[in-house]
Amino acid sequence: MESILKTLAACPAPSGAESRIREAISSFFEGEDIKTDVHGSLILHKKGTGDGTVILTAMDTPSLYVTYAEGGFARFSAVGGLKPSDGVAVLCEGNVLGVVGTDSVGQFIDTGAHTLETGMWAVPMPSFCKVDDTLCFGASMGQYAAMCASIRAAMTKTEKDVYFVFAAKSHIRQLSPSFMQGVKATKLLSVEVSAANDYPGEKAVFAGLSRGTALRVKDEGMLSSLPLLGELE
């Protein structure tokens, strides 16, 4: 698991520009039934018996996109809820390094002598820091951990018919259902990042490290199938 996670965490995966993470995921399944759809999502089919199941995991991470650039400075718009703090190092398209700052107008990326262009992406500097055998952290680690869990599950032998879908563009609300074309499945499970409240002093911890899998029943955009939840519990 650690080697998979380290490989993934080293790949920038901005929404709409997932080529590097797509290549990394594909490398774990060479020679298998894996393809890329027209929107850039990866589809791995593990053929088996019974009704098919789709395991859906986002392949992109929260990112920044340049809206205006002049000299070594660039304004940006955040995608996927990313809120970078001043001083955060970022990796920009073209392997350009930058740092986030703030002036009287708002936030910007300072790239020194390099000039970015409108539409270019930037992500927090890819990183992987291991604290001990059970804890690691890094930029967008929740998203990379979800990908890692799905990859590890896809490596496990099963007699079931399963489609592992690694979806592109999920954070810019352009997730296309095109991956369902030709997929014969009656169930869809989404592997996502879950909010945790394992903060110091918190008494009612419902999700946190070493507390197992969290099953999401409802949120702002979905309502889970109760019969399916019953099968998973």
Side-chain angles (χ1 to χ4, degrees):
M1 288 285 283
E2 181 180 333
S3 62
I4 296 174
L5 189 55
K6 289 176 71 173
T7 298
L8 298 175
C11 299
S15 295
E18 300 93 345
S19 59
R20 288 179 61 176
I21 192 68
R22 184 164 48 243
E23 292 175 2
I25 295 173
S26 298
S27 69
F28 293 108
F29 303 104
E30 293 183 0
E32 298 197 40
D33 185 2
I34 187 169
K35 61 182 180 181
T36 303
D37 75 0
V38 67
H39 294 283
S41 296
L42 272 178
I43 305 170
L44 170 66
H45 187 196
K46 309 291 284 191
K47 296 180 181 179
T49 59
D51 294 335
T53 298
V54 172
I55 307 295
L56 177 65
T57 311
M59 187 169 55
D60 56 333
T61 63
S63 47
L64 308 174
Y65 274 89
V66 175
T67 57
Y68 174 79
E70 183 177 343
F73 298 91
R75 300 290 181 189
F76 60 82
S77 176
V79 171
L82 182 60
K83 298 178 181 179
S85 302
D86 288 356
V88 168
V90 293
L91 176 65
C92 307
E93 188 171 345
N95 288 324
V96 173
L97 303 182
V99 63
V100 174
T102 301
D103 60 14
S104 60
V105 177
Q107 287 190 301
F108 60 85
I109 298 173
D110 182 352
T111 57
H114 297 277
T115 301
L116 300 179
E117 297 180 6
T118 300
M120 283 186 167
W121 56 260
V123 294
M125 188 66 66
S127 58
F128 179 89
C129 301
K130 182 178 178 180
V131 178
D132 54 36
D133 290 337
T134 62
L135 178 63
C136 64
F137 65 91
S140 300
M141 190 55 66
Q143 281 76 18
Y144 289 118
M147 298 181 221
C148 180
S150 294
I151 290 172
R152 188 65 184 84
M155 293 177 173
T156 304
K157 291 184 178 180
T158 178
E159 297 180 355
K160 302 293 185 180
D161 195 56
V162 185
Y163 296 85
F164 289 88
V165 178
F166 298 89
K169 303 178 182 178
S170 71
H171 288 289
I172 53 178
R173 301 187 182 279
Q174 290 187 12
L175 176 59
S176 171
S178 64
F179 63 81
M180 292 300 293
Q181 296 179 5
V183 172
K184 298 180 180 179
T186 59
K187 301 174 183 177
L188 187 149
L189 302 176
S190 180
V191 182
E192 299 182 354
V193 177
S194 293
N197 68 328
D198 53 347
Y199 307 118
E202 180 65 49
K203 295 181 180 180
V205 177
F206 60 85
L209 288 172
S210 303
R211 294 183 64 86
T213 302
L215 302 181
R216 185 176 301 176
V217 178
K218 183 184 182 303
D219 65 15
E220 295 178 349
M222 56 82 71
L223 177 65
S224 296
S225 164
L226 291 181
L228 180 56
L229 285 172
E231 291 184 30
L232 295 173
E233 288 181 328

